[in-house]
Amino acid sequence: MSRWHLTGWVFDVIPGPGGMTVWFRTEAGETVSLSAPFSPSFVLAGKNLGEASLRAASARWKCSLTQGEGTEFFSGNAIPAWTFTVAAPALLGSTVRKAERAFGPEALFNADIAPEQQFAYATGLYPLSHARVECTGDDGTILSFRILDSPWDIDAPRPCFSTALLRTEGKGHPAHGRIRPLEITAGGITHILQWENGAEFLRELLRLLEEIDPDLLVTEYGDDYLLPRLLALAGRLRVPLSLGRRAANDNIRRAKERSYLSYGRVVFLAAPHTLSGRWHVDARNSFLFGETGLPGLIELARLSGIPLQRLARTSPGTAISAMQVATALRRGILVPYKKREPEEFKSGVDLVVTDKGGLTYLPRPGLHENVGELDFASMYPSLMDRYNISPETINCGCCRPGFPVPEIGAHTCVRRRGLVPETIAPILSKRRLLKERQTATAFPEERDLYRKRQTALKWLLVVCFGFLGYRNARFGRIEAHEAVTAWGREKLLAAKEIAESCGFLFLHGLTDAIWVKRQGAAAEDYRELAERITEKTGMPIALEGIYRWLAFLPSKRNPSVAVPNRFAGAFSTGEIKTRGIAMRRSDTPPMVAALQRGLLERMAAAETLSDLRALLPELREIVRCAVAELYEGRIPPEALAIARRLSKAPEQYVANTAAAAVTRELCGRGVTLRPGSKIRYLLADGKGRAMGFLDGNETPDFTRYEEMLREAEKELLGLIGPTAT
């Protein structure tokens, strides 16, 4: 039997009939399909399970059974555990459901970990790992392997990946308008294909894909429109459609679409369409790709063990949860199948004390100059790491009083390291190193690479705190969440008192940041303050920047009261920072956002408040010109488009709003809309008109658009001086 020795990277891992299909990118640049025998497993554990019934069940389900012990998460005690190993990855889900019906969900552990993640955790062949493999020459079965790097390496070698972009001409969702030509772009060359050419259109698309041979196929609305339409067309014309790399079992794998609620917002996730031997990422169906690009996806795939295509369509919370699962498995902790730890009873008085959240001050509306902003670095994750805050360590019974949590009467364990802080500690360290590299490098491409990688880790740290209090998180517990916010309030209050003791005027505080000023203070004074706060609190805080001027903007309902997260300012570098204004909102027409950006860019040149006020006539002229362009018809419809996200099913809209009218128009034209779908429309002819079906004869509602411009003007210039009515 001939054998190959290959060195390269794990490109993708896909469950197969008898194990895992491993797509491997060799150092020579070839992407080959290998196979790895692997049988996933799950665990039934508990003192009340009978061995006879377990062995009978394993025989019925054709599983191998291994008896052992596992560690119960909250108590840390060892309990009897039986591992059921299924014959093939495809059998895992159905066998787990049988076990749940037979023994109940409380007896199930390690039961909903995807086979490809189990494979990564068991073998170390995580996505994009660098490895040397020995395999058979006839069928590519992996016989042995050696891992050559670690997911935590900063400078692990990585191959270059080629990319192609597949989209339709124009803007907006292609299903929400008339049929538009298909574009495929690679290497700076764009090819245009016409749908009406039918079979020839499909053959030309496949020819171009084979010629370009991209590692990554980026699409716009690929999951929701392009690939379903291509598959339907290919099925109707009976043309084989293989968008992945050629292989005997090549196909397009599809999962279910879904709508879900995230932080009070309804989100629609289109049905994922993933390929074999080639990555497909829908840029319109991937938050992580939009935030971090391919470098960020690679970073998170390496750390979480989730294959890149699936990771692209999940949230950062899914990635941090996968990392917590990996930590648990390494420590022999049994991963609960479903959350089963209820919130402890609290009286009304207890809730008032514990359920406060982050500390937020209410700034007075107004303009300030020479203001320093100091931010605690990854405050909540750092607190979780420093004070060992984890679901199983909060109010533990093994070391009372333990380490007391301020204000709320809780404590954390001092005897065992919590699972959550053990998971996030290396993330904090790696992100700090990546940020240092980002600052130190003189090369823009390297700086952008480090920025995307550390941004990916930032999102892990952002969501790890939220998952502590998430009701469905398997490693969540609201008491741990409350302990983090209690420590956060303590640290922010300490920072305020230290700043005031050093002669600074405290202007604002928001969860993990403070804004202070002192007459004549220089950058060195603010840095010394940051060092003093770090020393006194034990928590690193850094100078984010010094504002030339900073405006805390008033509430629209009560002008005498400011809003905590609504401000605009210009740093001494000329960089602009804004929160909560029109240009930051996704439903603001591009024309209105462009006006505010133009105003702020001009305002950023002002060194002092006097300079800023002197600019008022010029700023008013910018607004006047924008309004004139609007009425003269020089603003294209795309710049007037308003975007909305549907919060419910289309048939549930009863009010006669512009968005509801557009929803009815699109549904009447055969467009499928779900809760969380986005629509775009123009205010014209007294109603909303879907952007994709405009015919050029519409008359925009100039009065309403002018109102938006005036409101955007007032938002920024209202504190400087009177604005037009």
Side-chain angles (χ1 to χ4, degrees):
M1 180 178 64
S2 62
R3 298 188 177 190
W4 292 351
H5 290 87
L6 302 173
T7 302
W9 294 266
V10 176
F11 184 83
D12 204 357
V13 178
I14 303 168
M20 309 302 291
T21 298
V22 179
W23 284 91
F24 196 77
R25 178 62 171 268
T26 69
E27 290 185 337
E30 186 181 5
T31 305
V32 297
S33 175
L34 308 176
S35 62
F38 181 74
S39 298
S41 63
F42 64 94
V43 172
L44 285 168
K47 296 179 180 179
N48 299 324
L49 297 177
E51 183 174 348
S53 60
L54 291 167
R55 293 196 179 279
S58 70
R60 288 197 310 273
W61 304 334
K62 296 180 173 57
C63 297
S64 64
L65 184 64
T66 305
Q67 185 177 357
E69 285 186 335
T71 302
E72 199 276 327
F73 175 55
F74 282 98
S75 69
N77 297 329
I79 58 174
W82 286 264
T83 300
F84 286 69
T85 303
V86 299
L91 300 174
L92 179 63
S94 60
T95 309
V96 166
R97 289 190 291 273
K98 292 175 184 176
E100 182 178 9
R101 288 193 295 269
F103 296 96
E106 67 280 353
L108 272 169
F109 297 88
N110 305 359
D112 55 350
I113 306 171
E116 53 268 39
Q117 288 171 243
Q118 290 196 33
F119 176 77
Y121 304 151
T123 64
L125 290 170
Y126 47 85
L128 281 303
S129 58
H130 193 206
R132 179 173 174 80
V133 300
E134 179 187 20
C135 55
T136 58
D138 50 353
D139 61 359
T141 299
I142 296 176
L143 302 173
S144 64
F145 58 87
R146 182 162 61 92
I147 308 299
L148 303 178
D149 69 352
S150 162
W152 300 105
D153 291 345
I154 297 292
D155 296 315
R158 298 183 187 183
C160 294
F161 297 111
S162 58
T163 302
L165 173 64
L166 189 67
R167 64 185 299 274
T168 58
E169 278 187 350
K171 295 184 179 180
H173 197 303
H176 297 184
R178 298 175 181 86
I179 295 175
R180 306 195 297 260
L182 189 69
E183 296 180 345
I184 181 167
T185 303
I189 300 173
T190 298
H191 304 268
I192 299 177
L193 307 176
Q194 303 293 337
W195 292 89
E196 54 266 29
N197 291 342
E200 182 57 33
F201 159 81
L202 291 173
R203 283 191 285 268
E204 178 64 9
L205 173 62
L206 293 176
R207 186 193 69 78
L208 287 170
L209 272 178
E210 184 176 356
E211 177 184 308
I212 298 167
D213 192 25
D215 298 304
L216 170 64
L217 180 63
V218 179
T219 63
E220 290 186 4
Y221 304 102
D223 287 335
D224 197 27
Y225 177 81
L226 289 182
L227 268 63
R229 183 177 173 85
L230 288 169
L231 286 168
L233 181 62
R236 191 166 63 249
L237 298 176
R238 298 185 178 182
V239 175
L241 186 68
S242 176
L243 300 181
R245 287 198 162 103
R246 285 181 294 183
N249 62 344
D250 187 26
N251 55 23
I252 299 174
R253 300 179 303 281
R254 285 168 283 186
K256 293 181 179 179
E257 65 182 39
R258 63 191 181 102
S259 297
Y260 60 95
L261 191 66
S262 176
Y263 294 96
R265 186 180 68 169
V266 179
V267 178
F268 171 67
L269 182 67
H273 289 65
T274 55
L275 309 178
S276 295
R278 173 174 291 135
W279 294 323
H280 166 228
V281 174
D282 181 352
R284 300 288 183 169
N285 201 34
S286 175
F287 168 81
L288 286 171
F289 184 74
E291 288 287 311
T292 69
L294 182 59
L297 287 181
I298 290 174
E299 186 71 39
L300 295 189
R302 284 169 56 85
L303 293 177
S304 68
I306 302 175
L308 188 140
Q309 293 186 88
R310 182 157 68 88
L311 178 73
R313 294 161 174 86
T314 62
S315 68
T318 301
I320 193 68
S321 180
M323 294 179 68
Q324 291 172 351
V325 166
T327 302
L329 295 179
R330 282 197 306 271
R331 291 171 53 172
I333 294 173
L334 296 170
V335 179
Y337 176 51
K338 293 179 179 177
K339 184 177 179 180
R340 59 194 69 166
E341 188 70 14
E343 181 176 354
E344 294 178 359
F345 174 79
K346 295 183 181 71
S347 67
V349 174
D350 291 336
L351 281 172
V352 169
V353 173
T354 61
D355 197 22
K356 293 180 179 179
L359 188 60
T360 300
Y361 284 86
L362 205 60
R364 292 182 63 85
L367 288 162
H368 305 272
E369 57 186 353
N370 194 34
V371 176
E373 179 184 342
L374 282 69
D375 291 359
F376 282 102
S378 302
M379 180 193 234
Y380 282 173
S382 297
L383 289 170
M384 292 152 67
D385 177 33
R386 180 180 177 85
Y387 295 108
N388 196 30
I389 302 174
S390 191
E392 79 278 25
T393 63
I394 194 75
N395 292 333
C396 66
C398 64
C399 57
R400 295 183 185 275
F403 199 95
V405 178
E407 188 181 7
I408 66 173
H411 74 274
T412 49
C413 189
V414 295
R415 294 188 179 182
R416 61 170 171 159
R417 179 70 162 161
L419 181 144
V420 170
E422 183 174 329
T423 302
I424 64 176
I427 302 175
L428 287 164
S429 298
K430 187 173 188 181
R431 183 173 183 239
R432 183 171 59 252
L433 290 173
L434 288 172
K435 290 182 73 173
E436 290 173 359
R437 296 284 185 89
Q438 178 186 339
T439 303
T441 183
F443 302 102
E445 287 187 3
E446 280 191 4
R447 190 179 304 116
D448 186 58
L449 174 64
Y450 287 129
R451 180 188 62 79
K452 289 176 177 176
R453 291 175 64 190
Q454 68 90 1
T455 299
L457 300 188
K458 179 197 78 172
W459 280 109
L460 292 182
L461 297 172
V462 166
V463 300
C464 72
F465 163 70
F467 258 54
L468 271 184
Y470 178 44
R471 60 188 174 91
N472 291 328
R474 69 183 89 210
F475 298 117
R477 187 177 176 188
I478 192 63
E479 289 79 14
H481 188 275
E482 291 165 347
V484 175
T485 57
W487 274 114
R489 294 191 297 271
E490 180 82 2
K491 300 300 182 183
L492 195 72
L493 184 60
K496 172 184 180 294
E497 292 172 347
I498 293 167
E500 290 175 335
S501 70
C502 294
F504 287 88
L505 176 64
F506 183 84
L507 298 175
H508 186 28
L510 185 61
T511 307
D512 61 354
I514 62 172
W515 287 261
V516 296
K517 71 176 182 179
R518 190 176 70 190
Q519 186 70 30
E524 188 58 36
D525 298 310
Y526 286 108
R527 291 193 188 95
E528 288 179 2
L529 174 62
E531 291 172 3
R532 185 172 180 81
I533 293 174
T534 299
E535 178 186 355
K536 293 290 185 180
T537 64
M539 297 293 295
I541 192 171
L543 177 63
E544 175 75 6
I546 301 173
Y547 292 91
R548 294 172 179 169
W549 56 265
L550 175 64
F552 292 116
L553 303 175
S555 165
K556 293 181 179 180
R557 293 185 178 181
N558 186 352
S560 64
V561 177
V563 180
N565 58 349
R566 191 161 171 259
F567 60 85
F571 287 115
S572 56
T573 59
E575 179 187 353
I576 298 165
K577 184 170 183 177
T578 63
R579 292 292 184 270
I581 65 173
M583 62 178 275
R584 299 271 302 186
R585 295 193 291 272
S586 60
D587 60 349
T588 298
M591 170 197 67
V592 178
L595 171 67
Q596 283 200 331
R597 277 194 297 271
L599 291 173
L600 284 167
E601 286 170 4
R602 188 66 192 94
M603 293 163 68
E607 296 284 348
T608 65
L609 292 182
S610 297
D611 295 341
L612 187 62
R613 293 187 178 99
L615 286 173
L616 191 56
E618 182 180 341
L619 299 173
R620 287 174 179 156
E621 179 62 18
I622 292 174
V623 177
R624 190 198 66 77
C625 290
V627 173
E629 284 187 29
L630 172 67
Y631 279 97
E632 291 166 6
R634 291 190 284 140
I635 305 295
E638 275 296 333
L640 301 174
I642 297 173
R644 287 283 191 275
R645 187 189 298 269
L646 301 188
S647 60
K648 50 192 173 185
E651 63 273 12
Q652 294 178 316
Y653 284 90
V654 293
N656 193 26
T657 63
V662 172
T663 300
R664 288 190 287 269
E665 177 190 354
L666 289 172
C667 290
R669 292 178 179 271
V671 177
T672 302
L673 297 174
R674 302 93 163 172
S677 292
K678 295 178 182 177
I679 61 173
R680 298 168 67 248
Y681 59 91
L682 176 75
L683 294 176
D685 307 320
K687 59 182 179 180
R689 297 288 305 276
M691 292 297 298
F693 291 102
L694 299 180
D695 56 21
N697 296 319
E698 299 81 10
T699 302
D701 192 332
F702 295 126
T703 301
R704 292 182 66 181
Y705 281 111
E706 183 186 358
E707 288 174 0
M708 295 182 198
L709 290 172
R710 295 299 183 189
E711 188 64 32
E713 172 196 15
K714 182 179 179 182
E715 193 170 41
L716 289 181
L717 307 187
L719 290 177
I720 305 176
T723 57
T725 59

